[in-house]
C-alpha cells in the first residue's frame, strides 16, 4: 500500500483536489490517502471541505489578516517540514500554481519525497502575469517527479522545458470532474436546489428574477495584477454596462480582499443597496457559485479556473486579463481576453448580449478541458 499525501490551501485548489481525494479513497487496498490543508484561505476553504465531506488529517491553519507572500511561503514550508517528517508519504500531490503548492513541493523536495503536480504545464511565459502564479507553476514543475497535464498543449509546454516525457500524463482537468459532480447533485436533489435559491436570496440576489427570460452576467475579480487602476477600470465598465442594459442583471460576488472592494465603493459609492440591476453580494461557497454560473448568460472574470468551468456549462467567458495560461480555450473559442480596458470590456459584453450568432458560436464551442474523468486517469497513473 502506498501512502499518498494531498496538500492544498485555497478554495480553487480544494475544489480541484476534492474529487481526486474521493477517487483515491475508492482504492483503500492500494492507497492510504491523507489530506493536509494549509489554510492559505480559511473560510472559503472550509466551505469546500464541507461540500465534499472531507476531514483533513493535518491543518497548518496559517491564515492571518494582512499576510503577504513571504508569510505564506515561510509558514507553509516550516509547517510541512513537521507534517512530512511525521507522515513520510510515498508521494505528495499538489495542485496548480498557488504559493501553498510551490512551498509544499519544495518542502517535499527537501526531504527527497516524490511530488506529483496536478494541473501541470500551464504557461504564459511571463513571470509577472499572472503574478505570482506563473513563477509558482514553473518552480513546481521543476520539482515534480510526476506531471499530470490537463491538455496536450500543457504536455508540449513541459516537453519544451525538457521534462522527461515518461513523467507526463495527460489527464484532463479535475475541475470538470468537480463541476459535473456538483451539477448532478444539484439537479438530482430538489431540496438542495431550493436551499441554494434561499442562500442566494440571503446573500442579496434573487434568482427568481430570471424566470421570464431575464439574463444574468456573472462577474468575479481577485487578481493581484489588477489591483489599483485595473479594478477601477473594471468597475467603471461594469457600471456603464448595468446602465446600458437595464433588462440584464449584473451580479458580482465580491472577493474579501480590500484591494478588490475599495474600487467598487470608489466607483459605485458606499451604499450599494440602491442599484437597480447591479448586485454586489458576499462571496459564495462553491455550490451556490456553480448554481449561479449555470443560470448565467455569460461570465466576466479574471479567474483561471472559471475559464475551464464555465465553458463546461456552455457559458461564454470574457477574461479580464492581458494573458492567459489557458490558450486552448482561446483556440477553441470558449473564452476571449479583454484585459482591464474599459472599451474592450464594454464592447465585448455588448456584442455577446446583442448578437445571438456570436453568442451561440462561443456558447456551443467544445470545452478543451476534459470529460470529467481526470481523477480516474491520475489514479491509474499512480497505480
Amino acid at each position: 500500500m502506498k501512502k499518498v499525501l494531498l496538500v492544498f490551501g485555497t478554495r480553487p485548489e480544494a475544489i480541484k483536489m476534492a474529487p481526486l481525494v474521493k477517487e483515491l479513497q475508492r482504492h483503500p487496498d492500494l492507497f492510504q490517502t491523507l489530506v493536509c490543508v494549509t489554510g492559505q484561505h480559511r473560510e472559503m476553504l472550509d466551505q469546500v471541505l464541507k461540500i465534499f465531506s472531507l476531514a483533513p488529517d493535518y491543518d497548518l491553519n496559517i491564515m492571518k489578516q494582512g499576510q503577504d507572500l513571504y508569510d505564506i511561503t515561510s509558514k507553509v514550508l516550516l509547517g510541512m517540514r513537521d507534517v512530512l517528517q511525521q507522515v513520510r508519504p510515498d508521494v505528495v500531490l499538489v495542485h496548480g500554481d498557488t504559493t501553498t503548492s510551490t512551498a509544499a513541493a519544495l518542502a517535499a523536495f527537501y526531504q527527497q519525497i516524490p511530488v506529483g503536480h496536478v494541473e501541470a504545464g500551464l504557461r504564459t511565459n511571463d513571470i509577472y502575469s499572472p503574478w505570482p502564479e506563473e513563477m509558482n507553476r514553473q518552480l513546481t514543475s521543476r520539482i515534480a517527479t510526476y506531471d499530470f497535464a490537463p491538455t496536450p498543449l500543457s504536455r508540449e509546454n513541459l516537453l519544451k522545458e525538457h521534462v522527461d516525457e515518461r513523467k507526463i500524463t495527460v489527464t484532463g482537468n479535475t475541475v470538470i470532474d468537480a463541476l459535473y459532480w456538483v451539477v448532478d447533485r444539484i439537479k438530482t436533489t430538489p431540496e438542495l436546489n431550493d436551499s441554494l435559491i434561499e442562500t442566494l436570496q440571503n446573500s442579496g440576489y434573487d434568482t427568481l428574477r430570471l424566470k421570464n427570460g431575464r439574463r444574468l452576467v456573472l462577474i468575479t475579480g481577485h487578481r493581484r495584477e489588477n489591483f489599483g487602476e485595473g479594478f477601477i477600470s473594471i468597475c467603471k465598465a461594469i457600471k456603464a454596462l448595468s446602465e446600458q442594459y437595464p433588462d440584464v442583471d449584473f451580479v458580482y460576488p465580491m472577493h474579501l480582499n480590500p484591494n478588490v472592494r475599495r474600487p467598487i465603493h470608489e466607483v459605485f459609492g458606499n451604499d450599494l443597496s440602491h442599484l437597480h440591476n447591479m448586485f454586489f453580494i458576499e462571496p459564495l461557497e462553491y455550490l451556490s457559485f456553480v448554481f449561479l454560473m449555470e443560470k448565467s448568460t455569460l461570465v466576466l472574470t479574471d479567474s483561471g479556473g472559471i475559464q475551464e468551468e464555465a465553458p463546461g456549462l456552455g457559458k461564454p467567458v470574457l477574461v479580464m486579463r492581458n494573458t492567459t495560461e489557458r490558450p486552448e480555450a482561446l483556440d477553441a473559442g470558449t473564452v476571449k481576453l479583454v484585459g482591464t480596458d474599459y472599451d474592450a470590456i464594454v464592447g465585448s459584453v455588448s456584442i455577446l448580449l446583442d448578437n445571438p450568432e456570436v453568442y451561440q458560436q462561443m456558447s456551443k464551442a467544445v470545452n478543451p478541458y476534459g470529460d470529467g474523468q481526470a481523477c480516474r486517469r491520475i489514479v491509474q497513473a499512480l497505480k
Side-chain angles (χ1 to χ4, degrees):
M1 182 185 292
K2 297 296 184 182
K3 193 180 293 185
V4 181
L5 178 67
L6 299 94
V7 184
F8 48 92
T10 68
R11 174 174 122 155
E13 286 172 285
I15 290 167
K16 296 180 179 184
M17 290 289 259
L20 181 54
V21 175
K22 295 290 191 184
E23 184 65 24
L24 283 163
Q25 289 174 339
R26 292 182 60 230
H27 304 276
D29 54 325
L30 297 175
F31 303 109
Q32 181 183 356
T33 304
L34 299 168
V35 173
C36 175
V37 297
T38 67
Q40 181 178 335
H41 292 171
R42 186 71 270 174
E43 183 179 346
M44 293 186 290
L45 170 68
D46 291 341
Q47 289 170 350
V48 176
L49 294 174
K50 182 178 179 181
I51 289 167
F52 288 94
S53 301
L54 295 182
D57 300 280
Y58 302 90
D59 189 340
L60 303 186
N61 196 27
I62 69 166
M63 180 68 185
K64 294 291 184 295
Q65 192 70 30
Q67 66 185 5
D68 61 17
L69 294 173
Y70 296 95
D71 298 317
I72 299 169
T73 303
S74 58
K75 288 177 182 176
V76 173
L77 195 59
L78 291 171
M80 288 307 303
R81 175 184 61 189
D82 299 334
V83 171
L84 293 171
Q85 286 174 347
Q86 180 177 344
V87 176
R88 297 306 302 174
D90 294 292
V91 64
V92 172
L93 298 181
V94 299
H95 183 280
D97 52 24
T98 68
T99 304
T100 280
S101 295
T102 302
L106 186 59
F109 169 74
Y110 284 163
Q111 297 190 35
Q112 299 186 26
I113 299 169
V115 172
H117 188 194
V118 180
E119 197 185 82
L122 280 65
R123 295 291 184 270
T124 65
N125 296 308
D126 178 349
I127 64 171
Y128 295 111
S129 181
W131 176 84
E133 287 83 2
E134 175 66 14
M135 182 52 74
N136 283 345
R137 60 174 72 106
Q138 291 194 28
L139 289 171
T140 305
S141 289
R142 298 304 301 167
I143 294 169
T145 302
Y146 312 108
D147 288 286
F148 302 111
T151 67
L153 180 58
S154 299
R155 177 180 182 273
E156 290 301 315
N157 289 337
L158 293 166
L159 291 174
K160 288 176 183 177
E161 295 172 3
H162 308 292
V163 174
D164 187 337
E165 65 178 346
R166 293 171 296 180
K167 297 180 177 181
I168 306 170
T169 305
V170 178
T171 62
N173 200 303
T174 60
V175 75
I176 306 301
D177 299 40
L179 179 70
Y180 288 168
W181 183 87
V182 167
V183 169
D184 181 69
R185 185 178 169 196
I186 292 171
K187 289 183 176 179
T188 57
T189 316
E191 60 270 24
L192 176 59
N193 188 83
D194 295 340
S195 173
L196 291 173
I197 292 174
E198 182 179 352
T199 298
L200 282 162
Q201 286 174 336
N202 293 335
S203 299
Y205 184 67
D206 186 357
T207 55
L208 297 178
R209 290 170 58 93
L210 305 172
K211 270 192 170 180
N212 297 317
R214 188 175 179 85
R215 293 178 292 176
L216 163 66
V217 175
L218 179 59
I219 304 158
T220 75
H222 70 280
R223 288 284 180 187
R224 285 185 177 90
E225 65 263 32
N226 288 341
F227 290 172
E229 288 304 312
F231 271 113
I232 292 289
S233 179
I234 288 169
C235 290
K236 287 180 177 178
I238 295 167
K239 184 177 182 181
L241 285 163
S242 67
E243 293 169 351
Q244 184 178 335
Y245 294 94
D247 58 338
V248 176
D249 285 350
F250 295 81
V251 180
Y252 191 159
M254 296 180 292
H255 197 277
L256 296 173
N257 193 311
N259 290 301
V260 175
R261 297 197 170 206
R262 193 177 302 115
I264 291 172
H265 290 293
E266 285 184 30
V267 173
F268 287 89
N270 290 323
D271 182 12
L272 303 176
S273 62
H274 68 284
L275 303 172
H276 167 63
N277 63 328
M278 181 75 237
F279 298 87
F280 291 100
I281 64 177
E282 291 304 308
L284 299 173
E285 46 81 22
Y286 184 57
L287 279 175
S288 297
F289 186 80
V290 170
F291 182 76
L292 195 58
M293 184 164 59
E294 200 275 333
K295 292 187 176 300
S296 70
T297 301
L298 64 96
V299 181
L300 184 62
T301 185
D302 63 6
S303 167
I306 292 174
Q307 296 177 48
E308 299 162 341
E309 293 172 294
L313 299 175
K315 311 300 178 181
V317 182
L318 298 176
V319 182
M320 295 183 292
R321 288 163 54 183
N322 296 319
T323 59
T324 180
E325 61 286 352
R326 293 166 171 84
E328 301 96 331
L330 289 176
D331 294 340
T334 57
V335 312
K336 177 184 177 183
L337 292 179
V338 296
T340 60
D341 181 76
Y342 173 93
D343 291 329
I345 294 171
V346 172
S348 297
V349 172
S350 298
I351 289 172
L352 285 171
L353 291 176
D354 293 339
N355 191 321
E357 185 177 335
V358 174
Y359 180 86
Q360 286 296 318
Q361 189 174 2
M362 284 192 76
S363 176
K364 300 299 183 185
V366 176
N367 186 4
Y369 291 108
D371 55 4
Q373 298 296 317
C375 294
R376 182 185 60 78
R377 295 186 184 100
I378 291 171
V379 171
Q380 185 63 38
L382 289 173
K383 285 181 183 180

